[in-house]
Amino acid sequence: IRPFFIRMSEMLGLIFDFVFVLLVTMVAFLIYNTQSAGIMERLGEIGTLRAMGVPRLGMWRLLMLEGLMLGVIGGTIGVVIALLGDLFLRWVEIVYIPPGVTFYAKMEVLVMRDPIVLIKALLGSLTCSVISSALPARKAARMEIVEALRHS
């Protein structure tokens, strides 16, 4: 392999890593925003549950479980979309000419070749959703009962 292709591959790897970090940051903020908005809309119900005797830790666990379920649903949908996209690209058989050569190559997405990628994506979505849900859940669990009931 020519040194040019090695350097090009390393540069593309850095670009993909940077884009990956940007996407993970955006997803984390979106989950945080979704959880915060959902909690703000249900402050009356949260206050009622706390007034009925649900402890702060129990409320935090309940809201964290909700964040985990969002991660499970979102991650599962993402894995299904990735698999369907892989199947679609295999069915369409898109071909292209790589730079510096004269032959055609078939475009491949290596989702089904390496199922570890799907497992990592699912675990990453779960981790991201749990971490992003922690702060809104903590804020809601620590809110005073009277303050939460005022919003109903």
Side-chain angles (χ1 to χ4, degrees):
I1 296 181
R2 297 180 187 165
F4 170 76
F5 288 117
I6 293 172
R7 287 195 319 262
M8 183 65 76
S9 176
E10 289 172 353
M11 183 188 75
L12 287 174
L14 285 173
I15 291 171
F16 288 145
D17 289 345
F18 179 72
V19 170
F20 176 76
V21 169
L22 284 178
L23 286 174
V24 167
T25 304
M26 284 176 41
V27 167
F29 278 115
L30 284 171
I31 294 171
Y32 172 81
N33 190 26
T34 302
Q35 282 292 91
S36 293
I39 287 171
M40 290 304 290
E41 287 180 7
R42 296 178 311 195
L43 277 180
E45 289 87 353
I46 290 171
T48 302
L49 286 171
R50 292 272 296 119
M52 290 173 57
V54 175
R56 291 178 195 260
L57 183 61
M59 184 57 61
W60 181 81
R61 285 181 181 162
L62 182 67
L63 295 171
M64 288 298 292
L65 181 63
E66 179 183 334
L68 179 67
M69 293 308 297
L70 280 174
V72 167
I73 292 169
T76 304
I77 290 171
V79 165
V80 168
I81 289 173
L83 289 172
L84 290 175
D86 188 351
L87 288 172
F88 177 74
L89 287 175
R90 288 173 193 247
W91 178 68
V92 173
E93 292 186 2
I94 299 173
V95 294
Y96 66 100
I97 301 174
V101 296
T102 58
F103 58 87
Y104 289 98
K106 190 170 98 174
M107 183 174 172
E108 289 184 298
V109 179
L110 305 177
V111 173
M112 294 214 274
R113 184 179 294 177
D114 190 11
I116 295 296
V117 172
L118 295 174
I119 294 169
K120 285 180 181 178
L122 185 60
L123 290 176
S125 75
L126 293 177
T127 304
C128 189
S129 66
V130 167
I131 290 172
S132 299
S133 299
L135 188 59
R138 182 176 175 263
K139 283 182 182 178
R142 296 186 73 192
M143 186 173 276
E144 293 297 325
I145 297 172
V146 175
E147 189 67 33
L149 287 172
R150 228 179 253 158
H151 290 280
S152 58

